[in-house]
């Protein structure tokens, strides 16, 4: 069992991590680098007179972007280990996963670790105002735990008590609310912040769809071998 | 009887394997995405922002 989980998760996680790295470098990183030009003062945002929206962006930086590729692979390998462990746990409970259901697992994972936390803490550009990191992390982990358990109960629960509990768990973090900054400050155009948040979420959804599909594929293939 | 014991033992091993891999994955995610140690933070900075983790 342990080898089956480990091999499925490592293959799926590493592949999804590389897909994540490519998509992030193509769609998310250029906006982050653009925002850093405002954070460092190289560009100055003038909300009244306007600021040119096109700049020359730095080329691929082997050290900086290489580390991003490595850490994307690590993060998604971590996620894959948890996802395949969840598939294995479901299987122990009598809920067999088929390769076609993989995308649903992936979307549920995306909602758990990206979408639900982003409702309170949108993906941040460097230099944006935010509350202290520790309370944000506490809210992030609590939201991920509540959403994950909530989705599990919604999917595998068999009574209204389970589904009611699921709704409470899914909604509670947002009624409690994420820690907010006391002041808004920063000199980055809001258009960049909006685009950064939506691109980060879009890439997250695409990668999690791949991760779910790959994890279910390897998990079921390993079962046959 | 022997079959029952074997089945129970396998179920326990499976639960342990599931818990171990889930914890391993959680540890990797926390290390790569959330620990605030300066070197880790700087190395993982862009990935943390792009993945929507609270960064700094």
């Amino acid at each position: 069992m342990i080898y089956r989980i480990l091999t499925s998760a490592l293959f799926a996680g590493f592949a999804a991590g590389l897909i994540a790295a490519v998509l992030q470098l193509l769609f998310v990183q250029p906006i982050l680098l653009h925002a850093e030009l405002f954070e460092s003062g190289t560009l100055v945002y003038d909300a009244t007179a306007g600021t040119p929206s096109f700049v020359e962006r730095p080329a691929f930086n082997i050290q900086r972007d290489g580390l991003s590729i490595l850490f994307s692979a690590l993060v998604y390998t971590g996620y894959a280990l948890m996802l395949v462990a969840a598939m294995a746990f479901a299987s122990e409970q009598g809920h067999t996963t088929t390769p076609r259901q993989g995308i649903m697992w992936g979307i549920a994972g995306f909602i758990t670790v990206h979408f639900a936390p982003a409702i309170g803490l949108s993906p941040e550009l460097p230099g944006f105002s935010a509350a202290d990191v520790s309370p944000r992390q506490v809210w992030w982990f609590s939201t991920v735990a509540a959403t994950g358990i909530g989705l599990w109960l919604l999917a595998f629960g068999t009574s209204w008590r389970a589904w009611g509990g699921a709704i409470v768990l899914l909604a509670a973090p947002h009624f409690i609310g994420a820690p907010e900054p006391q002041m808004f400050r920063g000199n980055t155009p809001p258009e960049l912040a909006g685009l950064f948040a939506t691109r980060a979420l879009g890439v997250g959804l695409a990668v999690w769809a791949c991760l779910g599909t790959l994890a279910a594929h390897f998990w079921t293939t390993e079962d046959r071998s | 009887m022997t079959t029952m014991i074997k089945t129970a033992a396998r179920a326990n091993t499976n639960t342990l394997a599931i818990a171990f891999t889930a914890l391993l994955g959680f540890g990797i995610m926390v290390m790569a995405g959330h620990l605030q140690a300066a070197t880790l933070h700087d190395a993982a900075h862009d990935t943390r922002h792009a993945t929507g983790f609270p960064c700094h």
Side-chain angles (χ1 to χ4, degrees), chain A residues 29 64 68 92 124 137, chain B residues 14 34 46-47 49 53 56:
Chain A
Q29 186 74 357
R64 180 172 182 170
S68 297
E92 289 287 294
E124 307 151 6
Q137 286 183 330
Chain B
N14 286 351
H34 296 275
D46 296 355
T47 303
H49 277 277
F53 294 138
H56 41 69

Side-chain angles (χ1 to χ4, degrees), chain A residues 1-2 5-6 24 28-29 32 36 64-65 67-68 71-72 74-79 81-82 85 88-89 92 114 121 123-127 133 136-137 140-141 196 200, chain B residues 10-11 13-26 28-36 40 42-56:
Chain A
M1 167 71 99
I2 193 157
I5 301 179
L6 284 175
Q24 285 172 353
V28 187
Q29 186 74 357
L32 187 144
E36 278 186 350
R64 180 172 182 170
D65 296 329
L67 279 169
S68 297
F71 275 91
S72 281
L74 270 176
V75 166
Y76 278 95
T77 303
Y79 280 151
L81 283 163
M82 289 188 277
F89 186 64
E92 289 287 294
H114 275 248
L121 299 171
E124 307 151 6
L125 270 180
V133 71
R136 271 154 59 225
Q137 286 183 330
W140 192 93
F141 279 104
F196 183 82
Chain B
R10 194 181 308 134
T13 321
N14 286 351
T15 312
L16 269 179
I18 291 167
F20 170 75
T21 40
L23 268 177
L24 180 68
F26 182 76
I28 293 174
M29 187 269 286
V30 168
M31 189 270 297
H34 296 275
L35 287 186
Q36 289 297 310
L40 257 182
D42 293 350
H45 177 267
D46 296 355
T47 303
R48 290 182 179 191
H49 277 277
T51 318
F53 294 138
C55 192
H56 41 69

